[in-house]
Amino acid sequence: MDAKKKEQRAIAFDYLFDSVVITDLQGIITDWNNGSEDLYGYSQAEAIGQPVCMLHVPQDSAHITAEVIAAVEEFGKWTGEVKMLRKDGSIGWIESMCVPLLDDDDQIIGALGINRDISERVRKSEQLIQMAHYDQLTQIPNRYLLLERISHLIKQCERNQSEKNQCDQNKSTFTLLYIDLDKFKSINDAKGHAFGDKILQEAARRMSQSIRESDTLARYGGDEFVLLLENHLTRAEVTSLSKLLINTLSRTFEVDNTPVEISCCIGIATYPDNGTTSETLLSFADDALYKAKSKGSGTYQ
């Protein structure tokens, strides 16, 4: 290649909007364009001589390296979407392609990576997922995510039952708690929706703090919530949790400097004893809830 072409390529290298990172066989950065400086925040002088792994989120670095090497060996290149770590410590997302650099004998002497910032696209995608699966008022799962998780759990339980694996027998059952706030409708009508919304937010917060990380609390609609207890619990444990939730929601709420007294009733359904589909389980729990309500406030059935 003549000197003029080399000079033109060098200019193009720096004028590319995308980040271009060149490394040697040891993963040390040997060249770095202006697009890389814009993307990652390091100047060329700061980046050259440093390990390329400094651009990766630490916990992802090992598996990205292994994945890239395997893909390059099999297909001659690697493409993917991965997290990236900027100089200021912030984390973003890049769409990346990596190809090997060869010498005159076709031996690999390094790699060239082209990276494009897709952080905004990923953020918007995550926002859409959040809106589709989470209740915007309480920020807990909505009925659609709840139904997905129940359906997934039913399939998992059926698989465990068909395999007849004794170690997994406790994983072949789960419980639903259908929770309805007592007195909420009258308070909401008297005080207004903004006031009622604050009660719903506080109720969701209190219940979320009372359950395990493996459980799913969802707002099913209005003042109704459903708690999915994924791992096997004994009848006594479910009863104890129901009492805990009732006590939690029976504590005085303070909304706009106004004390508010509410409670809840709970209907309980267990897979597979009370149903083997999402519909039958929720229907059984709903019926149990209304039987509990007939007994009075702060009860479970």
Side-chain angles (χ1 to χ4, degrees), residues 25-84:
L25 280 175
Q26 286 69 49
I28 301 300
I29 297 169
T30 59
D31 209 349
W32 180 267
N33 73 342
N34 291 336
S36 297
E37 183 171 342
D38 293 339
L39 179 60
Y40 293 103
Y42 294 98
S43 68
Q44 189 180 62
E46 291 173 314
I48 290 179
Q50 298 300 317
V52 73
C53 62
M54 75 175 185
L55 308 177
H56 303 152
V57 176
Q59 56 267 36
D60 294 347
S61 188
H63 87 77
I64 289 174
T65 301
E67 189 178 306
V68 170
I69 292 171
V72 168
E73 287 178 348
E74 185 173 355
F75 306 110
K77 69 174 182 177
W78 171 86
T79 58
E81 296 180 357
V82 295
K83 289 179 182 176
M84 59 125 175

Side-chain angles (χ1 to χ4, degrees), residues 134-233:
Y134 287 82
D135 177 60
Q136 298 307 294
L137 177 65
T138 60
Q139 299 302 306
I140 62 174
N142 60 20
R143 71 159 64 202
Y144 303 108
L145 182 54
L146 172 73
L147 291 172
E148 278 184 22
R149 290 185 178 176
I150 293 174
S151 177
H152 173 76
L153 207 51
I154 289 172
K155 289 176 184 175
Q156 184 177 302
C157 288
E158 288 173 344
R159 187 165 59 250
N160 291 335
Q161 288 166 345
S162 65
E163 290 172 357
K164 296 183 179 179
N165 187 338
Q166 284 302 116
C167 295
D168 286 333
Q169 285 308 299
N170 284 346
K171 296 179 182 177
S172 297
T173 183
F174 62 88
T175 301
L176 293 178
L177 271 59
Y178 204 130
I179 305 160
D180 182 70
L181 302 184
D182 294 333
K183 308 173 190 173
F184 177 79
K185 188 178 184 306
S186 59
I187 294 170
N188 198 46
D189 291 343
K191 297 287 188 178
H193 294 299
F195 191 93
D197 285 349
K198 291 178 182 177
I199 292 176
L200 292 172
Q201 288 171 328
E202 175 62 13
R205 186 191 68 80
R206 289 188 186 185
M207 287 189 284
S208 295
Q209 291 180 343
S210 302
I211 61 177
R212 303 167 303 177
E213 220 171 282
S214 59
D215 300 330
T216 297
L217 175 68
R219 185 180 177 204
Y220 201 63
D223 63 341
E224 295 179 334
F225 298 83
V226 173
L227 176 57
L228 170 60
L229 306 174
E230 290 203 18
N231 297 324
H232 174 71
L233 290 177

Side-chain angles (χ1 to χ4, degrees), residues 272-292:
D273 297 343
N274 307 130
T276 55
T277 66
S278 302
E279 293 78 11
T280 55
L281 284 165
L282 286 164
S283 177
F284 186 94
D286 191 30
D287 289 343
L289 168 65
Y290 280 92
K291 287 176 183 176

Side-chain angles (χ1 to χ4, degrees), residues 245-296:
L245 292 173
I246 290 169
N247 290 336
T248 296
L249 294 175
S250 296
R251 298 200 315 268
T252 302
F253 284 64
E254 191 78 27
V255 179
D256 296 340
N257 297 317
T258 303
V260 180
E261 302 294 335
I262 67 168
S263 185
C264 72
C265 286
I266 301 174
I268 304 167
T270 299
Y271 175 93
D273 297 343
N274 307 130
T276 55
T277 66
S278 302
E279 293 78 11
T280 55
L281 284 165
L282 286 164
S283 177
F284 186 94
D286 191 30
D287 289 343
L289 168 65
Y290 280 92
K291 287 176 183 176
K293 289 175 81 71
S294 69
K295 298 178 183 177

Side-chain angles (χ1 to χ4, degrees), residues 236-248:
E237 287 171 329
V238 173
T239 297
S240 177
L241 177 58
S242 299
K243 290 178 179 177
L244 173 63
L245 292 173
I246 290 169
N247 290 336
T248 296

Side-chain angles (χ1 to χ4, degrees), residues 102-154:
L102 308 176
D103 63 13
D104 293 338
D105 297 320
D106 288 334
Q107 297 300 305
I108 296 177
I109 56 172
L112 181 147
I114 302 174
N115 309 309
R116 179 171 294 176
D117 191 354
I118 58 168
S119 302
E120 184 62 16
R121 190 183 86 195
V122 171
R123 186 192 68 77
K124 287 181 178 178
S125 176
E126 290 175 344
Q127 190 176 44
L128 288 173
I129 291 171
Q130 174 77 14
M131 291 174 66
H133 291 94
Y134 287 82
D135 177 60
Q136 298 307 294
L137 177 65
T138 60
Q139 299 302 306
I140 62 174
N142 60 20
R143 71 159 64 202
Y144 303 108
L145 182 54
L146 172 73
L147 291 172
E148 278 184 22
R149 290 185 178 176
I150 293 174
S151 177
H152 173 76
L153 207 51
I154 289 172

